[in-house]
Amino acid sequence: MSQQNSNSSINNIPVSEVYWTLVAKADKKFSKIRDLPYYQRNRYDTYFYKVFKVYTQLWKFQQENRQKLVEAGLKRWEIGDIASRIGQLYFGQYMRTSEASYLSESYIFYEAVLTREYFKDGMFQDVNLSNKQLRFLARFMTVCLVLNRHDMVFQLVNQLKMLLDECKRAFQETDFKEWKLVVQEIVKFRKAYPAFMNIRPLRYSVVLDLHPDCLPQVVEAKRKLRLRDALLCSYHPNEVKYSELTLDTFRMLQCLEWEPSGSFYQTGGVPPSGVGTGIGQNGAPGPSRVNYSQDISDPTLPPNPRKSILYHPSVTNYLAVLATNCEELPHDGVLLLYLSAAGSSQNSFSSPSHGAGRSFMSRVGDSEASSTSSLNFEFEIANPTSAKGNCLSEQSSCLYIGSRSSGGLNGIYPCDLLPFTRRPLFLVIDSDISKSFMALSGSEKGESVAMLLSPAMSLPIPTVDSARQPSGSSFTSFLTIPLQAFILMLGFTGSDVDMDMYDKADKLFSSSLNEWGLLLAASDNLNPVWAQTLGDPFLRRLILRFIFCRTVLALYAPTFNRTEFLPECIPSLPDAFLPTSDTCQRIVLQLADIFGATSKFNFSEETTILSDSRSQEN
């Protein structure tokens, strides 16, 4: 009887009162989760599910009682506010877990808010409502960027510009300077990303790349580790970025994920008009939602590696995230650290004392690099610990992940990473002082570190258009968009590239790297550090692209015979993958030949003769 009385009393509560109680509850939980960090995922999983449960109840309740709520004074923008927050929750959870399904759900809710124009009514009478629409468009652009929905980004940029102009006229006393900066950021970001960069997805595509089940295995490997987590951090003054997503971290983020099965090719990166709206006329999920979600996920693929992206963190914050990621790393996991930042060093890297590992030593003579027809590199094995005393001291080189004005408070020193070498680390350093991190080799606390280290100097890319926006780091470009980086290095722009030539080069490049992967896996002298990571599709691809990058820069005439332009890897890879080998030179020669640019490189006579004899046979 008491239960019946309780139910009848609940039923007597006005619908609007139940609704606003749910809204207040949802707002309270949302405020708690909104500012939670994108790390310590295990700790905050329960928070997400609690807040999402409340918003699910709220969304369902307003759908079932829409007419009564409208009669009670519910505004359209309030419905849009709920949908927008749900989209924000989904995107936040994607950032915490890297699960593609959360990203697609975020897009679905955001696009529904856009197409149904929830914030339109009364927007220019209420500055708060206008700001809601501006914030919504800015957040939606981030989702579209990560999803590579470039046509939608273009549409949103135009809407943001028009809305901003209208707001300035309607609210002349309000300062919209910060929104002007947002527009400038997204415009620069898009300009720095030429159209032909989108021909091939940055994500790992089983349509174009080897399926993980087909990767060659290193028989001698004692362990088979997998990339489970990554910490991505990039900071350069005036670098191209949107919000807290820099161009370099944006590329690395996508490079470490699976491309949704077939979606890039079915939609060209943008869904057809009306597809993916996800909400029908009555506010319920529409039929297109299922199709879009199916297109986004591929149950045959492993989950994406989790990623933490930090922009301009304090060093203590960076180390706290790193410590947490190490703590949560599975027993078979590798943690990738990507650091792109300017450095400070008291030492000159032209000194042989910094040539740890296998270094290029020039012995070509006085002839000009551009006129040299063959390579005559000699290799010198330097003592990996020779620079350790300096590099691991507090007064040595550091990477600035924030303003230099704060000194060491924003500097990451090689010794800062030592405590975390108790777990397997895969280090990618893109900096002018990257080679100072060689000092970690031999000082690890348990696990040998795999390192891919950028050149000390940036690649001199020909300036075809003086007004062209910077395109991010050339080293990171070679690791994430290697063929496009090669084409840009030759002086081409997107409009210059013939698509038939590009397709031919892309097929050659893919098949050649697959061949390298087979040879590398079968090498008798492959260091265990590389052997245990080569079976992971993402790390394997980075290693092979590094070999390509090093070979290209070693052969390229403007950087030929100049060690400051050459990247390094620690430990050393087998000699068969040095730039002097025919295995490596042949692919660069063939690619350069496709674009009519062989004269821009200095190949060995043996490789040139071999290439000529093969062309005559064909």
Side-chain angles (χ1 to χ4, degrees):
M1 180 68 72
S2 61
Q3 181 67 36
Q4 291 178 351
N5 290 336
S6 176
N7 289 337
S8 62
S9 63
I10 292 175
N11 292 333
N12 290 332
I13 299 176
V15 168
S16 60
E17 189 174 331
V18 175
Y19 174 77
W20 290 114
T21 300
L22 281 172
V23 168
K25 185 178 180 182
D27 284 347
K28 185 177 180 180
K29 291 191 177 293
F30 183 84
S31 64
K32 286 184 178 180
I33 198 173
R34 178 179 53 194
D35 298 322
L36 291 179
Y38 287 148
Y39 63 99
Q40 292 182 301
R41 291 93 161 186
N42 298 339
R43 177 179 176 185
Y44 294 123
D45 277 350
T46 54
Y47 283 82
F48 171 79
Y49 290 115
K50 286 180 180 179
V51 70
F52 189 75
K53 182 179 179 180
V54 173
Y55 272 96
T56 300
Q57 291 176 310
L58 179 59
W59 187 252
K60 184 178 180 181
F61 188 84
Q62 66 85 20
Q63 286 178 329
E64 295 172 346
N65 299 276
R66 175 73 61 84
Q67 189 59 41
K68 291 181 180 178
L69 290 171
V70 170
E71 292 172 357
L74 180 67
K75 302 290 192 301
R76 281 182 58 79
W77 71 262
E78 291 171 313
I79 301 171
D81 209 27
I82 299 171
S84 180
R85 283 195 170 185
I86 293 174
Q88 195 175 343
L89 285 171
Y90 271 126
F91 184 72
Q93 193 64 357
Y94 159 74
M95 293 295 288
R96 289 183 176 89
T97 64
S98 297
E99 290 185 24
S101 59
Y102 290 127
L103 185 61
S104 66
E105 291 289 351
S106 178
Y107 182 92
I108 287 168
F109 274 89
Y110 275 134
E111 192 190 38
V113 175
L114 181 74
T115 56
R116 296 180 66 81
E117 299 181 323
Y118 281 117
F119 296 115
K120 184 177 181 180
D121 296 340
M123 188 190 309
F124 300 116
Q125 285 76 48
D126 186 344
V127 69
N128 292 325
L129 194 54
S130 294
N131 276 309
K132 280 184 181 291
Q133 175 72 347
L134 289 166
R135 286 193 296 270
F136 156 73
L137 291 174
R139 292 190 183 111
F140 192 17
M141 273 192 283
T142 303
V143 175
C144 293
L145 278 175
V146 177
L147 266 176
N148 286 319
R149 306 276 166 179
H150 297 287
D151 284 1
M152 181 60 82
V153 173
F154 179 75
Q155 177 183 332
L156 293 172
V157 171
N158 288 335
Q159 286 202 25
L160 188 61
K161 288 179 179 177
M162 290 188 292
L163 177 59
L164 196 54
D165 289 339
E166 291 289 338
C167 287
K168 288 177 181 177
R169 284 191 289 268
F171 310 106
Q172 295 181 9
E173 73 283 357
T174 305
D175 185 7
F176 290 95
K177 184 178 179 180
E178 63 182 50
W179 289 109
K180 184 180 179 181
L181 294 177
V182 170
V183 172
Q184 290 173 349
E185 277 193 356
I186 190 62
V187 169
K188 287 181 180 179
F189 197 99
R190 292 184 67 249
K191 283 185 177 180
Y193 209 69
F196 88 106
M197 295 289 195
N198 304 319
I199 296 172
R200 183 187 178 109
L202 276 73
R203 291 182 169 93
Y204 194 107
S205 169
V206 293
V207 178
L208 298 173
D209 301 301
L210 285 177
H211 193 280
D213 294 339
C214 301
L215 293 180
Q217 298 299 314
V218 182
V219 179
E220 300 292 328
K222 295 181 180 179
R223 293 188 299 178
K224 295 181 180 179
L225 301 179
R226 292 288 180 266
L227 177 62
R228 301 296 190 189
D229 213 330
L231 177 54
L232 313 179
C233 183
S234 169
Y235 175 78
H236 296 274
N238 303 317
E239 68 186 327
V240 177
K241 71 179 187 71
Y242 177 65
S243 184
E244 295 186 350
L245 191 64
T246 70
L247 191 61
D248 288 339
T249 54
F250 169 75
R251 287 173 176 163
M252 286 300 298
L253 165 72
Q254 297 205 5
C255 183
L256 303 178
E257 290 190 349
W258 300 104
E259 175 65 26
S261 179
S263 66
F264 186 89
Y265 304 96
Q266 293 171 14
T267 66
V270 179
S273 178
V275 175
T277 300
I279 295 182
Q281 292 300 313
N282 62 350
S288 64
R289 174 175 181 163
V290 176
N291 295 332
Y292 184 74
S293 295
Q294 286 177 347
D295 194 38
I296 280 293
S297 60
D298 184 344
T300 68
L301 294 175
N304 285 326
R306 299 194 308 185
K307 292 169 289 295
S308 303
I309 300 176
L310 298 179
Y311 175 72
H312 199 173
S314 66
V315 170
T316 51
N317 180 230
Y318 181 88
L319 296 177
V321 177
L322 176 54
T324 302
N325 289 358
C326 283
E327 183 69 22
E328 295 180 348
L329 193 67
H331 71 280
D332 66 341
V334 178
L335 172 61
L336 184 146
L337 300 185
Y338 170 78
L339 270 169
S340 176
S344 172
S345 174
Q346 295 181 342
N347 305 300
S348 169
F349 285 104
S350 61
S351 168
S353 66
H354 289 276
R358 195 171 285 270
S359 305
F360 292 101
M361 305 301 292
S362 165
R363 298 290 185 271
V364 180
D366 296 329
S367 58
E368 294 265 328
S370 58
S371 62
T372 305
S373 60
S374 65
L375 283 178
N376 188 26
F377 283 130
E378 292 182 12
F379 296 93
E380 173 179 292
I381 302 299
N383 180 2
T385 62
S386 62
K388 200 166 296 175
N390 288 331
C391 288
L392 292 183
S393 73
E394 292 184 0
Q395 302 300 320
S396 68
S397 309
C398 71
L399 298 182
Y400 282 104
I401 56 175
S403 172
R404 289 174 184 259
S405 61
S406 299
L409 292 177
N410 284 333
I412 295 285
Y413 295 85
C415 59
D416 290 329
L417 303 184
L418 277 177
F420 307 103
T421 57
R422 292 174 173 85
R423 306 304 303 273
L425 297 184
F426 193 103
L427 205 59
V428 180
I429 304 292
D430 192 344
S431 174
D432 53 336
I433 57 97
S434 64
K435 292 171 187 177
S436 66
F437 285 79
M438 289 177 173
L440 291 171
S441 180
S443 295
E444 297 96 335
K445 301 300 182 182
E447 295 281 352
S448 297
V449 180
M451 289 183 259
L452 303 181
L453 307 173
S454 74
M457 294 187 66
S458 298
L459 174 66
I461 296 177
T463 305
V464 178
D465 180 1
S466 61
R468 189 177 65 185
Q469 296 292 332
S471 298
S473 160
S474 56
F475 181 65
T476 296
S477 295
F478 268 102
L479 296 182
T480 56
I481 45 172
L483 185 56
Q484 293 93 323
F486 179 78
I487 293 171
L488 285 175
M489 189 189 73
L490 298 180
F492 293 99
T493 62
S495 57
D496 298 330
V497 179
D498 178 83
M499 289 312 302
D500 290 336
M501 282 198 305
Y502 181 90
D503 290 340
K504 182 179 179 181
D506 187 54
K507 290 176 182 177
L508 170 65
F509 181 76
S510 296
S511 62
S512 298
L513 258 62
N514 287 337
E515 179 185 337
W516 285 1
L518 287 169
L519 294 174
L520 197 58
S523 298
D524 294 331
N525 56 342
L526 184 62
N527 190 287
V529 172
W530 303 118
Q532 68 188 9
T533 56
L534 196 60
D536 180 87
F538 301 108
L539 299 180
R540 172 185 179 272
R541 197 165 64 160
L542 287 175
I543 295 168
L544 296 177
R545 289 173 173 181
F546 170 85
I547 296 171
F548 175 70
C549 173
R550 184 172 65 174
T551 305
V552 168
L553 296 182
L555 301 176
Y556 188 47
T559 57
F560 180 77
N561 200 28
R562 299 177 65 181
T563 57
E564 67 269 26
F565 288 105
L566 293 176
E568 296 275 4
C569 65
I570 302 292
S572 298
L573 289 164
D575 288 356
F577 295 92
L578 292 171
T580 50
S581 70
D582 176 69
T583 300
C584 291
Q585 287 196 37
R586 190 171 63 249
I587 177 178
V588 179
L589 175 60
Q590 291 173 326
L591 286 172
D593 184 58
I594 290 174
F595 295 101
T598 55
S599 62
K600 294 180 182 290
F601 298 88
N602 297 314
F603 299 102
S604 67
E605 292 180 358
E606 293 80 5
T607 302
T608 306
I609 293 171
L610 180 61
S611 176
D612 289 342
S613 63
R614 289 186 177 179
S615 62
Q616 290 173 4
E617 291 175 4
N618 294 335

